[in-house]
Amino acid sequence: MTQPSLEPRSLPRFDYGYLLPGVMALGVYPLLMALTADPSAAFISAFFMGLWVILAKNAEWAARYWCLRLSVRTASLLAVCAALGPAALLMALDQPQWCLRLFTLMAGLACLAILNDQRDGDHAYLRFRLPHRRADGSEGALAQAFLTWNLALILLNEGVIAVFEISGWMTWYAVLPLLIHGVEVALVFAVAHRRRLVA
């Protein structure tokens, strides 16, 4: 039986760009608070500086995911809309509370994508998140693990929103990319290890 691949390149990739949202949240936000009399504007500005870093780093993955189902032109258009659309809408609304729930929405969309893959019998979401991972037969279990994690992320984000003020949520926002990366790596290792035990 084929054993799961745990080569470093098959894991969710990491680079120091994951630290930039934290720099924006914990560094730029206090600076903007000191420079402006509008706390809402300071929060939204710092939020989107960090968000655009995240979106830019994931634009290639999103385009690759949509290219599996759509034409290159349509996929590119969707990637641009996904990057700029929510940002433009939230900036137009000018309400920090909508910004806080953007990650709830993103995790919800990930859940829908995974459920759609299970209905179709493919694993496009896993190929999107783990583009270099080789198929080893554990895709179903890994998809369920990612589904559970995204559901937990929804609850975590909503819990942080309910308990903390905006400044406290900013700390959560700063560590969130690192948390997501760490959990996804742990899920890949855990599913591969389980498959080895039952092989």
Side-chain angles (χ1 to χ4, degrees):
M1 183 179 294
T2 303
Q3 294 295 320
S5 172
L6 282 179
E7 294 88 352
R9 68 189 302 272
S10 70
L11 298 171
R13 57 185 180 180
F14 175 84
D15 59 50
Y16 289 103
Y18 284 110
L19 303 176
L20 290 178
V23 172
M24 298 298 180
L26 300 180
V28 176
Y29 177 54
L31 178 62
L32 292 175
M33 285 286 288
L35 294 176
T36 179
D38 187 353
S40 175
F43 172 83
I44 292 174
S45 298
F47 174 83
F48 279 110
M49 287 180 187
L51 179 64
W52 277 323
V53 171
I54 298 173
L55 291 175
K57 299 191 71 58
N58 286 277
E60 179 186 351
W61 295 0
R64 186 184 297 114
Y65 175 74
W66 282 316
C67 280
L68 296 173
R69 301 170 181 271
L70 306 167
S71 67
V72 174
R73 181 177 181 180
T74 302
S76 300
L77 180 61
L78 283 174
V80 172
C81 290
L84 299 181
L89 178 61
L90 291 175
M91 291 187 76
L93 292 172
D94 193 27
Q95 292 293 327
Q97 289 297 321
W98 288 103
C99 298
L100 305 185
R101 288 189 162 83
L102 183 60
F103 289 104
T104 297
L105 174 62
M106 293 169 68
L109 292 175
C111 291
L112 292 176
I114 295 170
L115 291 173
N116 183 65
D117 288 347
Q118 292 180 338
R119 184 198 64 181
D120 294 344
D122 63 10
H123 298 287
Y125 179 80
L126 289 182
R127 293 195 297 272
F128 159 59
R129 293 300 295 164
L130 308 169
H132 300 298
R133 182 179 181 275
R134 294 186 301 183
D136 58 16
S138 63
E139 286 72 29
L142 189 57
Q144 290 178 359
F146 270 69
L147 176 62
T148 302
W149 161 237
N150 279 284
L151 289 172
L153 187 56
I154 292 173
L155 296 177
L156 283 170
N157 192 55
E158 290 300 313
V160 171
I161 292 172
V163 173
F164 294 98
E165 300 292 335
I166 284 180
S167 57
W169 186 89
M170 265 298 195
T171 303
W172 160 252
Y173 175 49
V175 302
L176 186 57
L178 294 173
L179 175 65
I180 291 174
H181 175 77
V183 170
E184 289 183 350
V185 169
L187 290 176
V188 173
F189 271 106
V191 171
H193 180 66
R194 179 178 179 275
R195 180 168 173 78
R196 280 198 173 119
L197 291 177
V198 302

